[in-house]
Amino acid sequence: MRLSHLETLGPSDPLDCGMNRDQAYELMVGHTPSVSLQRHMLNVEAAMRAYARHWGEDEELYAVAGLLHDFDYELHPEEHPTWGVAFLREQTDTPETVLDAIMGHAAYTGTPRESQLSKTLFAVDELTGLVQAAALVRPDRDVRQVELSSLKKRFKNRAFAAGVNREEVEQGARELGVDLDEHMTRVLRAMQDMQPEPQPG
């Protein structure tokens, strides 16, 4: 995966333009050594894009929120997401609605989720983890072969992917006003339709 100067941005090196998807991707990769955590944020981006299309909202805005929501987690776990939001506010032109959504996806911050963007990020975050786990236990490890019926069984089995907060998945669907099966279907399909990131030649 490609890296850029965004990886080494410090307090005196603000970005000189607004945040777009490509910048968000490079910033995320630069702060996230773990490939599995990078994959998580790409999964969330895919789910966010699917919901943006469903809502008729700005797909790029939703993508940026998905890519950046955990970008600080690996290097600043004790301060996540407060550290990341402060960095983005000081060093980039990331819209406040994205910053609010990033704060709101972590329930422990107490940040109210008032926008559709915030509600969507909270709703898809944990669920993408369940979908990824369901794919990884398959012999082919192929998310495209995961079926909704299997995912629902995995969801009910709390011993499977125990770190996935089922209550937050259900709460997220309620906040969005969507049926849980519909929510699972949309997120699953979004991840199945993902295209791989281009690799440097």
Side-chain angles (χ1 to χ4, degrees):
M1 294 184 175
R2 62 190 188 279
L3 299 177
S4 79
H5 69 286
L6 291 171
E7 181 179 4
T8 56
L9 273 176
S12 61
D13 303 307
L15 295 179
D16 58 5
C17 57
M19 180 66 70
N20 59 37
R21 192 273 173 190
D22 288 343
Q23 290 175 323
Y25 174 77
E26 293 190 0
L27 180 60
M28 179 271 284
V29 171
H31 284 76
T32 308
S34 167
V35 173
S36 63
L37 186 54
Q38 291 179 18
R39 182 187 302 117
H40 168 67
M41 284 179 273
L42 289 167
N43 290 340
V44 172
E45 178 199 10
M48 292 293 284
R49 285 184 177 276
Y51 263 110
R53 291 190 293 270
H54 177 69
W55 304 130
E57 300 259 350
D58 185 336
E59 192 171 327
E60 182 94 347
L61 190 72
Y62 275 56
V64 167
L67 283 171
L68 293 179
H69 78 285
D70 277 348
F71 90 95
D72 63 334
Y73 183 79
E74 190 167 4
L75 300 183
H76 304 276
E78 300 300 321
E79 301 170 275
H80 166 75
T82 305
W83 188 95
V85 168
F87 176 92
L88 292 171
R89 180 173 285 120
E90 294 168 4
Q91 304 298 324
T92 77
D93 290 334
T94 306
E96 283 294 324
T97 184
V98 171
L99 302 181
D100 288 344
I102 292 173
M103 287 297 291
H105 94 277
Y108 57 83
T109 68
T111 303
R113 291 179 291 276
E114 298 176 342
S115 70
Q116 196 78 331
L117 178 68
S118 294
K119 294 174 183 177
T120 304
L121 182 59
F122 177 77
V124 305
D125 184 27
E126 291 289 310
L127 184 52
T128 60
L130 182 71
V131 175
Q132 184 67 33
L136 291 178
V137 297
R138 291 184 52 82
D140 55 17
R141 300 169 69 88
D142 188 351
V143 69
R144 294 171 298 178
Q145 304 305 318
V146 176
E147 298 181 352
L148 178 62
S149 58
S150 172
L151 186 64
K152 290 169 66 175
K153 289 178 182 178
R154 301 287 192 189
F155 182 79
K156 292 178 181 178
N157 177 10
R158 290 175 179 263
F160 177 80
V164 173
N165 189 321
R166 269 71 170 174
E167 288 74 20
E168 287 193 358
V169 173
E170 293 173 333
Q171 180 183 351
R174 287 195 303 271
E175 289 183 8
L176 285 180
V178 299
D179 177 78
L180 184 58
D181 282 6
E182 176 189 345
H183 183 45
M184 287 186 172
T185 299
R186 183 166 293 113
V187 171
L188 175 60
R189 288 179 178 170
M191 290 175 60
Q192 290 173 333
D193 290 343
M194 284 177 66
Q195 299 298 315
E197 285 293 318
Q199 301 297 306

